[in-house]
Amino acid sequence: MRGVTVSPNCLFCRIVGGDVPAEIVHESERVLAFRDVSPQAPTHVLVVPRDHHADVAELAAADPDGMVELVRAAAAVAGDAGLDAYRLVFNTGARAGQSVFHVHGHVLGGRDMRWPPG
Ligand code: AMP
């Protein structure tokens, strides 16, 4: 098993490490997916790399293969949930709504979505 890059006091690193409970719906060597505690749609799952990267741009720059695996995991989560359409959202930066600075894709589906987002 490969080692994982961890950031101290990071909530999602603690979920990856098993120190904070989460309802895990999908996992692989590099990626973990778990249900959001405050769901904004009938399906609302967060997909995270096990390694700590602050946001999606940082992940893409540091680990392009990890980025691809994250997007594939999101598609698998959507498929397992039976979604024929879904939104994959990476809030990036506090002004865009990012509150946890360990990159995570929100997989949202199961209801109609509006555009533009608020
Ligand atoms: P963002 O605002 O894009 O950074 O998304 C962070 C998400 O993490 C929010 O949708 C929160 O509801 C969710 N969240 C916060 N704490 C937890 C937790 N312990 N388990 C699962 N989801 C969480």
Side-chain angles (χ1 to χ4, degrees):
M1 189 78 167
R2 58 193 283 280
V4 171
T5 309
V6 175
S7 176
N9 304 318
C10 169
L11 173 61
F12 290 173
C13 284
R14 295 178 69 209
I15 289 177
V16 168
D19 301 325
V20 171
E23 191 182 339
I24 294 166
V25 297
H26 179 95
E27 57 184 319
S28 67
E29 190 182 353
R30 296 158 69 107
V31 173
L32 191 68
F34 51 91
R35 293 199 190 284
D36 196 295
V37 280
S38 178
Q40 302 301 312
T43 295
H44 188 173
V45 171
L46 302 176
V47 184
V48 310
R50 292 184 188 272
D51 285 328
H52 183 88
H53 299 279
D55 60 33
V56 68
E58 220 179 77
L59 172 64
D63 183 8
D65 291 344
M67 178 73 210
V68 169
E69 189 165 334
L70 192 76
V71 173
R72 285 187 173 146
V77 166
D80 289 349
L83 300 176
D84 59 354
Y86 63 96
R87 192 168 283 177
L88 177 57
V89 175
F90 293 92
N91 293 327
T92 306
R95 280 196 72 205
Q98 187 176 4
S99 60
V100 178
F101 289 83
H102 178 133
V103 57
H104 49 282
H106 296 254
V107 179
L108 295 148
R111 66 168 169 80
D112 291 339
M113 303 274 167
R114 288 197 217 100
W115 193 262

